[in-house]
Amino acid sequence: MAESLRPNEISQDDLSKAEAEQRLEQLAQLIQKYDEAYHTKDAPLVTDADYDRLRRENERLEDLFPDLVRQDSPSQRVGGELAEGFSKISHAVPMLSLDNAFYDKDVEDFIGKVRRFLRYDPLMGALAITAEPKIDGLSLAVRYEKRKLVHAVTRGDGSTGENVTANALTIADIPKELPEGVPEVVEVRGEVYMSHADFTGLNERMVANGGKAFANPRNAAAGSLRQLNSKITESRPLKFFAYAWGEMSEMSADTQMGMVEAFAKWGFVVNPLMKRCESAQDLLAVYHGIEEDRADLGYDIDGVVYKVDRLDLQERLGFVSRSPRWAIAHKFPAERAFTTLNEIEIQVGRTGALTPVAKLEPVTVGGVVVSNATLHNEDYIKGIGQNGEPIRGGKDLRAGDTVIIQRAGDVIPQIVDVDLDKRDEEACAFEFPKVCPACGSHAVREKNPASGRMDAVRRCTGGLICPAQAVEKLKHFVSRNAFDIDGLGEKQVEAFFELSLEEGGVHTPADIFTLRERDKASLVKLRSREGWGAVSARKLFDAIDARRQIDLNRLIFGLGIRHVGEGNAKLLARAYGSWGAFQTAMRAAHEEGSEAFKELNDIDGIGSAVAIALVEFFSEPHNLEVLDKLLSEITPNDFIVADTSGSPVAGKTLVFTGSLERMSRDEAKARAEALGAKVSGSVSKKTDMVIAGPKAGSKLTKAQSLGISVISEDDWFDLTKDL
């Protein structure tokens, strides 16, 4: 099967930093919403293929703008919130998800990246990679101790899952006891799914008994496994494919294929279509073969997973963010559909960005009903691209238009074209508002100081007087990757914001922590309000008190400073260690030429845009007032690094320069950070050691002039070989 046309890659010239920041904010919010629908409610609103395409867009933007990585970024988390009603079990080894490929070229790029990271010379022989269908079901980890099944746990949020042991015991494909000779501790991971035939039969029975039919087999499987009554699960025709592992007291093979073959010997069902390949061409042949036979498999898949076969190479490759470097999921293509653009709605975000959203006549695309589409900015509506070039042939978008939507790259899909032959002659061009719809303040397009161009994003100038921005900042403050206050979600934040302080309102972060005391003094108690009771009110107050001590990186992220996402918040927390040191440095960095500003800008991964945003935030008196009130209620914890006792480089700042010959730069950096070192991109007085390879240039010269210790790559290996 021929590969579909590959769209143009996003480049830094195509996108301003402000546009990237706005898009990353949209992506984080949308993916979190769909994570909850998929993982927690077992009611996905989009297909896995389209969801993963959104993650791909997010990852591309983060690659282009690493200083914009948010703490709530999809790249920083796995899965969704845990369902109520089940006890929780922590995974001994996190259950991570995979990066994605959508085109044949992506697979070649994946193999190239693996080879470069490992410095895998072709003379070393073929790089074996396995290929297997990606089952569209619910991930499950099944743990055995001394051959007996002790518990079964869903993926959950990647770190902790729901205990569904009683339900897993009803699935025939999951052995209750393993044969003699297996390791003492075995954790097998796989996918719970439902065949097409069983799904059809189940829905027929559900409808016949007056129940509601499931939307698709994945939904049926997830809903069946997560029943509080295991008798219901037992009545559902669930199946299980084993394909991975978690904690093992000892390995039964030294390859991916060997481990899966061991699973089969132990009584698990493994996918017979799994193959071992030695080239990109072989992998793509398997992919396109499975794609052509997809309709005849009898169960749902949404792509093919590739994994480096040798386990020692997997260990060397390690992980980046939420996914392994040694595996990737090659997804099947998305679909398109025609529908009507009913209206264009303007939404105001946390940073004041006015974001247009197309409200569509609902249409089914790939089994999912779509009613919204992203419109990015006002130029996009006019048919103008990032550099002034025409998009959609220069055709603008108007209410009433017949449009073509594509669910690829966006959870809220894109409009890729408009049918002018069907446009009403009286349809008017959309007039983008020059004032904020939430507060009436001027909405302006600022000039980007770096490029000299006008930003594509129009922003409200109202700041904290804009209710939309204030509410969104509070939502961000209590979000999962910030303060994560149980019981204080988006709807609750909106409701509290509408109240006066005397009524128990919340207008600033500090107001959250005074809520209990103000409730005691109020004539109208929270417990008496609609939707609340004595128990729920007490739980909320207790949840708030539980966050009076907060990790430093969570506090920094929760402040909602532009360009400071989760990744940058962690970098800052690691660099400064404590809130006192961080705040002092930020206030001292008020001038770009100051020593404090240079130190901030020299943190590896922190660019000038982030540094300027931090300085601006800490230069605003109102922000300092809000911070002082907040800090009178909470205590930030110092940043704690992993135990690196015995490491000769723990706490030291290292710089790698020149051409490394025994390892790639990425592998060197990952190794150094694992040993507790900080890796910087530039040499300064704070640098402790420089590792210099051949052709080292100005960094080596500067290190020598400053009297900094310089060692070779071989010296680096000798220094760390026993750790």
Side-chain angles (χ1 to χ4, degrees):
M1 180 178 293
E3 180 184 2
S4 58
L5 291 176
R6 182 184 178 89
N8 293 330
E9 296 287 341
I10 301 171
S11 72
Q12 195 155 6
D13 292 336
D14 294 334
L15 208 62
S16 72
K17 207 150 216 176
E19 291 167 334
E21 180 195 19
Q22 177 198 12
R23 185 61 184 144
L24 286 167
E25 180 179 3
Q26 293 172 335
L27 293 171
Q29 292 171 353
L30 292 168
I31 291 177
Q32 184 164 345
K33 172 184 175 182
Y34 283 85
D35 274 344
E36 182 180 357
Y38 184 92
H39 293 285
T40 306
K41 298 178 180 178
D42 296 324
L45 301 177
V46 294
T47 65
D48 284 353
D50 300 319
Y51 169 86
D52 287 331
R53 284 180 183 269
L54 175 65
R55 281 189 176 273
R56 188 173 187 237
E57 181 187 358
N58 188 85
E59 289 159 4
R60 282 183 181 175
L61 288 175
E62 291 182 343
D63 286 342
L64 291 172
F65 301 95
D67 57 330
L68 297 187
V69 177
R70 302 165 56 88
Q71 184 168 359
D72 60 347
S73 166
S75 68
Q76 306 299 314
R77 56 186 166 83
V78 178
E81 302 292 337
L82 303 182
E84 297 294 330
F86 293 98
S87 62
K88 310 300 187 284
I89 294 180
S90 297
H91 298 295
V93 177
M95 290 187 74
L96 303 179
S97 55
L98 303 177
D99 277 340
N100 305 308
F102 294 95
Y103 305 94
D104 291 0
K105 180 64 166 58
D106 294 339
V107 180
E108 297 170 1
D109 291 345
F110 164 67
I111 295 175
K113 288 178 181 177
V114 168
R115 284 184 172 276
R116 287 192 296 274
F117 189 97
L118 296 172
R119 294 197 178 277
Y120 198 93
D121 194 297
L123 297 177
M124 297 167 65
L127 178 65
I129 297 177
T130 63
E132 61 186 293
K134 185 176 183 300
I135 311 302
D136 190 12
L138 185 73
S139 297
L140 185 71
V142 188
R143 182 183 179 90
Y144 297 82
E145 296 177 3
K146 296 181 179 179
R147 299 170 47 212
K148 304 287 187 182
L149 190 155
V150 294
H151 64 236
V153 190
T154 64
R155 181 197 300 276
D157 62 7
S159 299
T160 304
E162 297 95 6
N163 182 354
V164 293
T165 307
N167 296 346
L169 287 167
T170 70
I171 301 174
D173 290 347
I174 297 177
K176 313 306 179 288
E177 183 176 338
L178 299 184
E180 295 280 356
V182 304
E184 183 164 313
V185 175
V186 170
E187 183 185 312
V188 175
R189 294 177 174 179
E191 207 81 5
V192 175
Y193 69 101
M194 193 175 290
S195 72
H196 293 160
D198 288 338
F199 170 70
T200 300
L202 174 61
N203 267 353
E204 289 174 351
R205 294 193 298 274
M206 295 286 287
V207 173
N209 293 327
K212 182 180 178 181
F214 287 102
N216 51 58
R218 191 269 170 196
N219 209 22
S224 299
L225 182 63
R226 298 165 90 175
Q227 291 288 329
L228 296 178
N229 184 350
S230 62
K231 292 293 184 183
I232 297 177
T233 305
E234 188 174 16
S235 70
R236 305 281 175 82
L238 297 179
K239 300 179 183 296
F240 181 77
F241 272 131
Y243 55 74
W245 57 93
E247 184 177 16
M248 303 283 292
S249 57
E250 61 180 285
M251 302 302 291
S252 298
D254 57 7
T255 63
Q256 183 78 30
M257 181 67 82
M259 287 296 295
V260 173
E261 289 171 346
F263 295 162
K265 293 177 182 177
W266 297 346
F268 289 95
V269 178
V270 300
N271 200 297
L273 298 179
M274 182 178 180
K275 295 185 182 302
R276 185 177 180 275
C277 304
E278 296 187 347
S279 69
Q281 291 73 22
D282 290 345
L283 291 173
L284 293 172
V286 172
Y287 171 86
H288 291 301
I290 291 175
E291 184 181 26
E292 291 178 10
D293 296 337
R294 182 181 181 185
D296 300 322
L297 292 179
Y299 50 86
D300 281 346
I301 63 173
D302 57 7
V304 176
V305 174
Y306 310 131
K307 300 175 183 176
V308 172
D309 192 37
R310 280 174 47 184
L311 302 189
D312 62 331
L313 296 185
Q314 288 187 11
E315 184 175 359
R316 277 188 63 193
L317 285 161
F319 298 83
V320 55
S321 187
R322 66 181 184 92
S323 56
R325 290 189 181 93
W326 43 266
I328 197 167
H330 191 178
K331 297 303 194 70
F332 294 133
E335 300 182 29
R336 294 184 173 188
F338 285 88
T339 190
T340 301
L341 196 170
N342 290 326
E343 63 174 318
I344 297 174
E345 180 181 281
I346 302 297
Q347 300 176 350
V348 184
R350 173 172 57 87
T351 61
L354 272 60
T355 304
V357 176
K359 311 304 288 186
L360 304 169
E361 190 66 28
V363 61
T364 299
V365 186
V368 175
V369 177
V370 171
S371 58
N372 299 314
T374 181
L375 297 181
H376 302 294
N377 54 59
E378 58 190 281
D379 286 345
Y380 184 88
I381 295 174
K382 294 175 181 177
I384 301 172
Q386 304 291 343
N387 296 308
E389 78 282 6
I391 56 175
R392 300 185 306 273
K395 292 176 281 189
D396 71 337
L397 298 173
R398 305 182 184 186
D401 277 348
T402 297
V403 295
I404 301 173
I405 61 171
Q406 174 177 285
R407 295 176 55 251
D410 296 306
V411 166
I412 292 184
Q414 295 174 306
I415 293 179
V416 295
D417 207 352
V418 56
D419 188 345
L420 293 182
D421 292 337
K422 296 182 179 180
R423 174 175 284 176
D424 191 318
E425 293 181 359
E426 298 182 0
C428 298
F430 180 75
E431 188 70 28
F432 205 92
K434 303 298 189 298
V435 297
C436 173
C439 71
S441 299
H442 289 297
V444 301
R445 293 176 67 171
E446 302 170 348
K447 180 175 286 188
N448 189 310
S451 66
R453 296 186 303 177
M454 298 299 294
D455 283 346
V457 178
R458 189 174 291 275
R459 294 182 186 276
C460 167
T461 59
L464 291 171
I465 71 165
C466 177
Q469 291 185 61
V471 169
E472 292 304 316
K473 286 181 183 294
L474 283 170
K475 290 178 182 177
H476 175 79
F477 183 82
V478 301
S479 63
R480 181 172 177 269
N481 293 314
F483 274 66
D484 189 23
I485 298 176
D486 190 27
L488 195 57
E490 292 190 0
K491 291 182 179 179
Q492 289 79 18
V493 167
E494 291 172 357
F496 279 121
F497 188 81
E498 293 298 322
L499 302 173
S500 68
L501 291 178
E502 293 74 21
E503 294 173 320
V506 171
H507 301 158
T508 70
D511 295 341
I512 295 171
F513 295 94
T514 62
L515 193 56
R516 187 196 291 264
E517 289 304 314
R518 285 186 289 119
D519 186 73
K520 290 179 181 178
S522 176
L523 296 177
V524 181
K525 307 296 185 185
L526 177 60
R527 62 178 180 266
S528 65
R529 297 186 185 277
E530 183 178 354
W532 294 89
V535 174
S536 57
R538 177 177 51 78
K539 284 184 176 180
L540 173 61
F541 296 146
D542 289 347
I544 292 171
D545 285 341
R547 291 294 184 268
R548 289 186 182 274
Q549 279 200 308
I550 191 74
D551 290 344
L552 178 59
N553 56 292
R554 283 180 172 268
L555 170 57
I556 295 173
F557 172 69
L559 297 178
I561 303 170
R562 286 185 67 185
H563 308 308
V564 179
E566 180 188 11
N568 285 334
K570 286 183 177 178
L571 289 175
L572 292 165
R574 178 185 291 274
Y576 293 102
S578 69
W579 173 259
F582 171 68
Q583 182 172 236
T584 300
M586 294 307 100
R587 294 187 179 187
H590 63 282
E591 294 182 2
E592 290 193 31
S594 67
E595 186 65 27
F597 185 87
K598 290 179 181 177
E599 291 177 0
L600 170 61
N601 202 39
D602 280 344
I603 298 173
D604 189 39
I606 299 294
S608 59
V610 180
I612 291 171
L614 285 161
V615 169
E616 289 177 347
F617 180 88
F618 280 91
S619 298
E620 169 57 50
H622 180 79
N623 290 337
L624 299 181
E625 180 183 342
V626 170
L627 267 177
D628 288 343
K629 289 181 179 178
L630 174 62
L631 290 166
S632 69
E633 300 290 340
I634 67 169
T635 302
N637 297 323
D638 291 349
F639 187 82
I640 299 175
V641 297
D643 181 13
T644 53
S645 55
S647 168
V649 295
K652 296 183 181 296
T653 299
L654 312 183
V655 173
F656 290 88
T657 185
S659 301
L660 302 181
E661 297 178 325
R662 296 179 60 181
M663 57 185 168
S664 67
R665 186 66 59 87
D666 286 343
E667 187 172 2
K669 181 178 178 180
R671 174 65 173 159
E673 290 178 342
L675 292 173
K678 302 175 185 177
V679 179
S680 176
S682 61
V683 175
S684 71
K685 290 185 292 184
K686 295 199 174 227
T687 303
D688 295 297
M689 182 184 297
V690 171
I691 297 89
K695 300 181 181 179
S698 60
K699 293 179 183 178
L700 174 59
T701 302
K702 185 172 182 179
Q704 292 170 334
S705 69
L706 293 173
I708 294 169
S709 172
V710 178
I711 65 173
S712 68
E713 185 178 7
D714 288 339
D715 293 335
W716 168 252
F717 268 92
D718 291 341
L719 182 66
T720 61
K721 65 182 179 180
D722 296 326
L723 300 176

